[in-house]
Amino acid sequence: MQERYEPAVIEADAQRDWEARGTFRVSEDPSRPKYYCLCMFPYPSGRLHMGHVRNYTIGDVLTRYMRMQGHNVLQPMGWDAFGLPAENAAMAHGVPPAKWTYDNIDYMKRQLKSLGFGIAWDREVTTCRPEYYRWNQWLFLRMLEKGIAYRRTGVVNWDPVDQTVLANEQVIDGRGWRTGALVEKREIPMYYLRITDYAQDLLDALGSLPGWPERVRLMQENWIGRSEGLEIEFEVEGAAEPLAIYTTRPDTLCGVTYMAVAAEHPLAQRAAVGNPDLQAFIAECQRSGVTEAALETMEKRGMPLGIHAIHPITGERVPVWVANFVLMGYGTGAVMAVPAHDQRDWEFARRYGLRIHPVVQPLDGSLPDIESGAFTEHGRLINSGRFDGLEFDEAFDAYAKFFEAQGTGKRRVNWRLRDWGISRQRYWGCPIPLIHCATCGVQPVPDDQLPVVLPEDLVPDGSGNPLGKSESFLKCACPKCGGPARRETDTMDTFVDSSWYFFRYASAGNDRAMVDERAAYWLPVDQYIGGIEHAILHLLYSRFWTRVMRDLGLTQVEEPFTNLLTQGMVLNEVFFRKPASGRITYYNPADVDVQVDDKGARIGAVLRSDGEPVESGGIGTMSKSKNNGVDPQALVERYGADTARLFMMFAAPPEQTLEWSDEGVDGAFRFMKRLWKAVHQHVSAGPAQALDVAALDEASRTLRRQVHETLVKVTTDIGKRRTFNTAIAAVMELMNAINRFDDRSPQGRAVVQEALETVVLVLAPVVPHACHALWRELGHTTVLVDERWPEPDARALERATVEVVVQVNGKLRGRVTVPAGADESVVREAALADPNVQRFMEGKPVRKFVYVPGKLANVVV
RNA sequence: GCCGGGAUGGCGGAACUGGUAGACGCACCGGACUCAAAAUCCGGCGGUGGCGACAUCGUGAGGGUUCGAUUCCCUCUCCCGGCACCA
């Protein structure tokens, strides 16, 4: 056996071996339990980043673990290959997005292979390939037929200089990122998917997802945002049509002191005619951003329209305002304002001197305090005429009945969730398969003409969609009348691509159907793993898309992902210098030396190249802008894939953020060397004898118990808790025990042989290359990746005595050793006899004796 | 602003169902080996007091429940993720 641990050689050997054996190619085998382990596929940005390495290492550990547990495991991989960065790269370097994307895929695929992930590469999916996205188009046409897809206008960010639609991330402080021009809101026709038709189902089914983190279910529940309320019509003076509003607080109706409508609302538009001030204000509302965060954080402003609504209960005249925080897209584009019981309305009323009229009092009968803020809790009605004295539920019912009887209002369920706008005015995406004909209008592309292929040779220049300038793409015949027509140039949101790729892995290569019977074998995904940043949108869209496929008879599956693991982000330190004048410069932590005092505490940091100090910017996500990324490739070349994988899994539990640490990587590498050395030392003394459990001495029995205790712990940590860091810590502890054990007798060596075999087996999912080699060195002719996970020996786990800690009044005062399974009375006697325990009891009688069997006793005096 | 999450030694983290706070690793300190260094091995390592046995304080801040709270409840601070065209 090689004495030195040489990862480059070991890893290449192992990978060659798996490749030659076709170890990770899988087929559908109904005789074995299946396990579909899926990691979120990467966007091919150029190189893998540490987040990918973390994600795919978690997936690979589970894949290899479940394989050892006897499952038929599928771990596929693919590319989320459409998207904005390819267009940005095209603009920067003049390369077509297609070439850039395919080159990146080639490089990143090599990186993934070098990390030793057990991927079924024969099922690879690339979303920018026509053989993939034709099925986006095909399903879109089915949705159009069923009315799930429809056309209406939507608001986008418009850069007036570049004459182009901007993504939210391309709008910086309200200005276009390239032109610096003030961005305008613009309404354009777009295609939407009726995800709101599925809102109730998507909400209810969250309850059937016990394998999802509670926080993700909560976030989705809040995102869907079901609310029950009343839709109420207010008469408007001098207008034929009433003003409809939706409220979840009908009990506060008599507290309405003004109404607010969106800038785009017909009432506001009409009032603005001939009123320049109002026109200016409405134009200003058009200029704010379109994101919810921007709308919620901006200053709440408004202007009276000079018209009045009639309160449906009191008959009072109520002024109607236009306000920048009311959105035409939400509900009816108008709200009733109750400043006494809604904080936002309260602030608005204070600002503009509007009346604040309390109509709800706390249940204790006190008067609501509306001086410092709104009273927003439920309570009892006052100042509400014949509704006085009612509580929330009663008031809700009473008002509902009142309006239903009059036909001027009704109960309504409202959703925060909005329909999914899938149109993008961009080139590098899946073409929406529609044709515009001057005589026949919008026509779907017939199925036999699919796919509508995206030309791969265009280069965007930032001024609009290049598809709109490509005659060869645009020109087509109308499928209905045969006359000249033009193709739709909008492409689909890339969330469409990622909403069903997990079905396609299981139906790879089928050019006649979107999914086939292989999907019925593999779906649903047993374990999905990806970043927490996808907790809402991607996961919700996938759940929706799966339901549409179910309704079209394409699958029986309703929920695509049975278990979900959301991994935390990978962080690193941030170092920078900010000269008195000039731009801030970030330095890569690899180029910075940290200075510590003699206790190891940090006292400063200097740039290695010039020895001058740099400032610490704390810890942040690895990013280009902060220049704090670590290249996985350099890591693998220096330490090997196993060390990289071991560090990633050891440094933090998977759901938490992970802080990068070069020293931590060194530590992981040292452990690999120690492991290698321990096996080398053991093996170089010749083969071990068979283990005779009955012949072991005390020290050997203790080591053997530690081996089996570790096995139990690692099995639950990997298999149930998914806390790989504690599993690895337990194995490190065992390795320390093995290294301290120096019994070279035949039975001593037999115990060590069993211990080392166990270590190699349980570490195989984490550091598969080294373990692959070590398994052979330990005398096996089998291939480790096909071995079964070991079973603990119950008899090895038995203990004769246990240590019980003894507290007096909850404070630790002593320890007693008692026979395992001893009665409480035995423990009590031993505990009370302990001198230190007696000292702290100060001769007082025992008031209470709490005993946690085998662990702890608390004497209360 | 709203929704979700987090905060434990010098650092990353552990404590699984309310029961020994600090496992494991890193950094640091001391020692062995070495002409020396690196590597490796051994030992120490939350603060304070004590020669020591041990005591005492200590899990972001403040309060509460409990025999017992890092864990449960309330209030607050800071950090991170998402907010519908980044993926």
Side-chain angles (χ1 to χ4, degrees), chain A residues 682-683 685-693 695-696 704 743-755 757 778:
Chain A
H682 171 72
V683 164
Q689 262 189 12
L691 183 66
D692 177 5
V693 176
L696 300 181
R704 196 157 180 267
D743 180 353
R744 302 287 170 87
S745 72
Q747 277 308 304
R749 296 196 63 242
V751 171
V752 170
Q753 173 81 18
E754 186 196 24
E757 283 184 2
L778 283 166

Side-chain angles (χ1 to χ4, degrees), chain A residues 6 32 56 420 661 699 765 800 817:
Chain A
E6 287 183 279
R32 278 196 294 161
Y56 304 146
W420 176 13
S661 156
T817 299

Side-chain angles (χ1 to χ4, degrees), chain A residues 94-161:
Chain A
V95 212
K99 178 175 169 30
W100 183 82
T101 302
Y102 292 132
D103 286 352
N104 288 349
I105 288 173
D106 284 346
Y107 184 79
M108 291 170 76
K109 192 169 169 179
R110 280 207 301 280
Q111 288 190 296
L112 287 174
K113 288 189 169 176
S114 76
L115 282 155
F117 299 134
I119 289 165
W121 281 109
D122 54 323
R123 294 165 182 265
E124 184 177 359
V125 153
T126 306
T127 60
C128 66
R129 296 271 188 202
E131 57 269 28
Y132 181 80
Y133 65 68
R134 70 174 295 180
W135 302 110
N136 286 356
Q137 297 174 343
W138 181 81
L139 202 80
F140 174 80
L141 293 174
R142 303 291 83 76
M143 291 197 203
L144 206 61
E145 287 162 5
K146 294 196 73 176
I148 298 169
Y150 67 98
R151 185 167 134 122
R152 68 163 160 90
T153 62
V155 183
V156 294
N157 302 302
W158 179 255
D159 185 320
V161 174

